[in-house]
Amino acid sequence: MIILFNTLGRQKQKLKPLKDRLVRMYSCGPTVYDYAHLGHFRAYVFVDTLKRVLKYNKYKVKHVMNITDVGHLTSDADTGEDKMEKSARREGKTVWEIAEFYTKDFFDAMEKLNVEKADIVCKATEHIKEMAEMVQKIIDNGYAYVISDGIYFDTSKLKDYGKLAGFNPEELKAGARVEFNEEKKNPTDFALWKFTAKDQKRQMEWENEFFFKPEQIDLGKVTAYARENPNIRVEKAKRGFKLVVKGFPGWHIECSAMSIKYLGKVFDIHTGGVDHIPVHHTNEIAQSQAALKKESVKFWLHNEFVLVNNQKMSKSLQNFYTMHDILARGFDPLSLRYLFLTAHYRSKINFTWESLAAAENAYKSLKEKIASLKNKGKVGKKVKEYKKKFLEYINDDLNTPQALSLLWQMLKDDELSDKEKLVLALDFDRVFGLRLKDARKKIPKEIIKLAEERLKARKEKDWKRADELREEIRRRGYKIEDTEDGYRIFKA
Ligand code: AMP
Ligand code: ZN
């Protein structure tokens, strides 16, 4: 029995998958306009741990994650620039190049953190049709209206809008004044589709048609917008009007459209960081309710922030560290994974390099301990007791800190044989994902000799020789990875 904390309702609940032993889950993926940082890594290590716990409990998991490569604006209030277009301008590249570069960098980092890739990774730009169809349903069901810069969702039409965040829309109105767009009917209304502004040059834009019944559109106003902006056209259609627009989807619609496409109208789990609760996920819920007349998600799970000096690590505050920083300082990425596991996913982590160094020390001693165990001895019934305890911890809303201390307690237990310790440690590692098995692998002396020779060649800038040696190492079944202070070797 797995218990998870559901943000919707703010309580722990028993997980009961909709389809027998299959758990269908969706995770909000990264916006690929810059390097991912430690905050993002925490979000995905959390998702990975969740998947591992489900699989440890013999569930099958179907996991979908999106890549946001269009439509995420610099402000959550649907104003400001598209982050991708802004980044492309800054770096003098195309938006597509930006997306490709940072997506690859993101997945490289995920691999280093031993985060398993989602079964389906879907890009927003490849699902424009599905998003437009969902927006059309929302219009048809009477939840949308048009203003000069886009098609918006009328949040006042939903009785329980905002329930995920537990806020009262009246209170929010007061707080949202600063960014309130006067044309919107309610401060919490959000863009379903944005029109390219009249003088704007966008790299990513699409032409789409949306149909409105006469009572769903203020023809006078929309005709005036069309006169002002060549990217908007309004035509008479069979049972009303057709709006032909050049533009791009709002950020929230991609997750609604893609999760439903790949997981069905109702699925089990949706994840993201806590910053997504008040806007992004609140609006996803609203969209599904409006388009499908039902709730799509059973469990909403949110990880807490990584902080730096008690402020959220974020690109906008410029207080972030990337995988490149971790490697440049000579840390093993899995030490970061260890650090994340020492805290519960719903508590904040204030990141310092000292805390990472401490985690690295602990992780190193853990590996040394595992390496020193002899594969000998009996396997008795105490193993079962430990497994039971372990399951109890991880199934209680992923209590990884307790599960980790159980691992240490177990390794120090004199009543267990080495064999039992090894069996248990490797079994627990199916959830921790710390590659503890690798600690048992001895790298042969001749491979280390080749690696040392290669390091020397690199220092002497003899790249040809370094490449030859890498190839030789590969031929012998090992992979060498450069770190800023040397190298690491793995069994390939
Ligand atoms: P974004 O690319 O901003 O949409 O973020 C991708 C994921 O990382 C989302 O689930 C965010 O909630 C999460 N995230 C972003 N910053 C942090 C942070 N400082 N700590 C934890 N999670 C974060
Ligand atoms: Zn999302």
Side-chain angles (χ1 to χ4, degrees):
M1 186 181 69
I2 304 180
I3 306 268
L4 297 169
F5 184 86
N6 195 346
T7 306
L8 191 64
R10 313 256 158 185
Q11 57 179 342
K12 285 188 183 177
Q13 287 174 358
K14 243 190 254 172
L15 176 75
K16 279 200 227 102
L18 293 150
K19 261 195 193 165
D20 196 28
R21 301 301 298 172
L22 174 70
V23 178
R24 287 169 294 173
M25 62 184 267
Y26 182 90
S27 302
C28 286
T31 308
V32 285
Y33 69 108
D34 205 336
Y35 292 109
H37 58 62
L38 266 54
H40 302 123
F41 298 161
R42 182 180 198 196
Y44 301 110
V45 166
F46 152 62
V47 171
D48 195 53
T49 310
L50 172 62
K51 277 166 69 176
R52 285 167 180 274
V53 167
L54 293 169
K55 289 178 184 174
Y56 191 89
N57 281 274
K58 302 194 174 66
Y59 284 108
K60 280 213 176 83
V61 179
K62 181 170 180 187
H63 182 217
V64 178
M65 189 188 80
N66 68 307
I67 297 285
T68 300
D69 52 0
V70 65
H72 191 174
L73 304 185
T74 48
S75 144
D76 271 349
D78 297 308
T79 54
E81 272 183 277
D82 182 314
K83 291 183 178 185
M84 298 291 301
E85 301 260 345
K86 189 175 171 195
S87 178
R89 219 169 350 87
R90 187 187 67 220
E91 297 191 22
K93 291 183 183 166
T94 69
V95 185
W96 310 96
E97 284 166 345
I98 290 286
E100 196 187 335
F101 179 84
Y102 289 114
T103 303
K104 181 174 181 312
D105 195 79
F106 171 77
F107 282 116
D108 285 350
M110 289 300 110
E111 205 195 311
K112 290 190 167 66
L113 288 164
N114 200 18
V115 169
E116 190 192 284
K117 214 169 184 173
D119 302 293
I120 296 171
V121 175
C122 42
K123 293 181 189 170
T125 48
E126 290 173 1
H127 295 79
I128 300 297
K129 184 172 142 276
E130 287 85 348
M131 289 189 238
E133 281 167 5
M134 190 158 184
V135 169
Q136 186 63 57
K137 275 199 197 117
I138 295 170
I139 297 169
D140 293 345
N141 292 344
Y143 290 87
Y145 61 95
V146 181
I147 59 175
S148 62
D149 72 349
I151 302 171
Y152 280 70
F153 190 103
D154 185 347
T155 54
S156 68
K157 293 257 164 89
L158 282 174
K159 264 200 325 296
D160 51 3
Y161 177 82
K163 66 178 171 186
L164 183 71
F167 61 60
N168 167 355
E170 287 306 315
E171 271 171 37
L172 194 92
K173 264 183 210 164
R177 285 284 171 228
V178 205
E179 292 196 288
F180 187 45
N181 168 351
E182 289 302 330
E183 283 186 77
K184 291 202 293 190
K185 289 187 183 169
N186 312 286
T188 47
D189 291 357
F190 58 91
L192 292 164
W193 213 268
K194 291 276 284 188
F195 309 145
T196 302
K198 64 174 174 186
D199 303 320
Q200 201 183 5
K201 205 65 237 116
R202 281 185 63 88
Q203 294 183 37
M204 278 180 179
E205 59 180 5
W206 293 264
E207 190 169 281
N208 287 86
E209 300 176 348
F210 296 99
F211 293 87
F212 292 82
K213 293 184 202 116
E215 66 274 19
Q216 290 168 337
I217 201 165
D218 182 332
L219 192 61
K221 275 193 182 165
V222 176
T223 312
Y225 305 148
R227 224 177 288 128
E228 272 290 300
N229 185 349
N231 298 312
I232 308 172
R233 234 168 55 223
V234 59
E235 294 169 8
K236 192 128 189 37
K238 236 191 197 161
R239 256 172 261 113
F241 298 94
K242 179 165 86 172
L243 205 61
V244 185
V245 291
K246 257 197 209 131
F248 58 100
W251 171 35
H252 319 299
I253 198 74
E254 67 177 86
C255 290
S256 296
M258 293 194 280
S259 60
I260 290 165
K261 170 170 179 171
Y262 294 109
L263 295 174
K265 287 183 182 156
V266 186
F267 58 93
D268 303 294
I269 301 178
H270 193 312
T271 73
V274 287
D275 51 334
H276 284 348
I277 300 171
V279 181
H280 185 49
H281 290 168
T282 288
N283 294 343
E284 272 189 51
I285 292 178
Q287 291 169 155
S288 299
Q289 281 180 330
L292 309 172
K293 303 278 180 202
K294 63 169 101 178
E295 298 237 352
S296 283
V297 180
K298 292 289 173 199
F299 275 80
W300 286 93
L301 265 57
H302 294 98
N303 64 277
E304 253 298 350
F305 287 147
V306 171
L307 309 173
V308 176
N309 291 328
N310 295 310
Q311 274 186 304
K312 178 191 171 193
M313 181 178 286
S314 69
K315 285 165 192 166
S316 50
L317 291 173
Q318 287 292 310
N319 60 353
F320 65 91
Y321 301 114
T322 68
M323 183 52 77
H324 305 282
D325 299 316
I326 300 280
L327 297 175
R329 293 184 188 230
F331 284 104
D332 181 341
L334 290 178
S335 303
L336 183 65
R337 187 172 178 118
Y338 187 99
L339 176 65
F340 291 151
L341 294 172
T342 61
H344 190 266
Y345 76 90
R346 285 192 293 113
S347 52
K348 297 181 176 67
I349 293 183
N350 192 40
F351 178 79
T352 59
W353 290 104
E354 289 74 26
S355 64
L356 184 57
E360 179 138 301
N361 277 337
Y363 179 47
K364 266 191 186 151
S365 0
L366 179 60
K367 283 191 295 184
E368 279 160 18
K369 178 79 195 158
I370 304 284
S372 73
L373 295 172
K374 313 257 182 310
N375 197 4
K376 272 199 272 191
K378 56 163 185 59
V379 177
K381 66 172 189 304
K382 218 172 170 193
V383 165
K384 258 203 189 137
E385 283 167 34
Y386 270 107
K387 279 195 184 179
K388 191 164 163 260
K389 212 79 231 118
F390 181 72
L391 203 61
E392 210 173 278
Y393 292 151
I394 58 169
N395 285 1
D396 178 14
D397 197 29
L398 319 187
N399 197 336
T400 56
Q402 262 195 313
L404 256 192
S405 40
L406 182 74
L407 171 67
W408 279 108
Q409 185 196 325
M410 179 278 287
L411 289 170
K412 288 175 191 154
D413 186 340
D414 293 336
E415 291 178 21
L416 291 175
S417 70
D418 269 19
K419 173 101 178 177
E420 285 173 316
K421 289 180 184 176
L422 200 55
V423 164
L424 283 168
L426 298 184
D427 181 65
F428 294 178
D429 199 42
R430 285 162 55 207
V431 169
F432 296 135
L434 292 168
R435 292 192 173 129
L436 295 181
K437 216 173 179 176
D438 287 359
R440 305 283 300 169
K441 285 186 195 145
K442 299 242 180 339
I443 308 289
K445 277 204 192 90
E446 71 267 17
I447 300 291
I448 296 189
K449 205 168 140 240
L450 289 173
E452 285 296 321
E453 228 180 280
R454 184 171 172 275
L455 184 65
K456 191 163 157 269
R458 280 174 57 80
K459 278 190 184 145
E460 288 163 2
K461 299 203 176 352
D462 185 351
W463 308 120
K464 192 164 163 281
R465 179 81 190 125
D467 283 349
E468 282 166 9
L469 286 160
R470 177 201 287 277
E471 186 51 27
E472 182 57 31
I473 293 168
R474 195 194 60 77
R475 256 202 305 272
R476 295 188 190 206
Y478 290 84
K479 210 170 105 186
I480 185 156
E481 191 180 279
D482 296 321
T483 60
E484 268 77 355
D485 66 340
Y487 59 82
R488 260 206 314 275
I489 315 175
F490 311 93
K491 186 111 185 72

